[in-house]
């Protein structure tokens, strides 16, 4: 598992749009391509989650 980084403004907006609190999540990967996704890690529990990005 990669180390998470603090989300930037665009990533925070996408996390909030998914109904999550952006302060509790770190960004592991920001995948671009046909199906863009944001893979995030919870700061406390370490659980990962995929957030589908909107265009």
């Amino acid at each position: 598992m990669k180390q998470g980084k603090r989300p930037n403004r665009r990533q925070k907006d996408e996390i909030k749009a998914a109904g999550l609190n952006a302060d509790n999540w770190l960004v592991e990967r920001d995948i671009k391509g046909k199906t863009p996704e944001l893979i995030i890690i919870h700061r406390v529990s370490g659980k990962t989650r995929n957030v589908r990005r909107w265009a």
Side-chain angles (χ1 to χ4, degrees):
M1 178 167 38
K2 294 184 178 181
Q3 185 175 1
K5 306 271 185 186
R6 287 176 33 202
N8 61 29
R9 173 58 56 198
R10 180 188 56 81
Q11 292 167 340
K12 282 184 182 182
D13 291 340
E14 292 173 1
I15 293 170
K16 287 178 186 176
L20 303 170
N21 184 356
D23 295 331
N24 294 337
W25 296 91
L26 297 171
V27 175
E28 181 183 333
R29 275 183 274 160
D30 193 358
I31 302 171
K32 298 174 177 104
K34 284 187 175 181
T35 57
E37 286 184 325
L38 191 63
I39 300 175
I40 54 179
I41 306 169
H42 195 270
R43 286 181 186 261
V44 179
S45 67
K47 290 185 179 182
T48 60
R49 188 178 265 199
N50 295 353
V51 175
R52 170 126 325 147
R53 290 181 36 210
W54 42 272

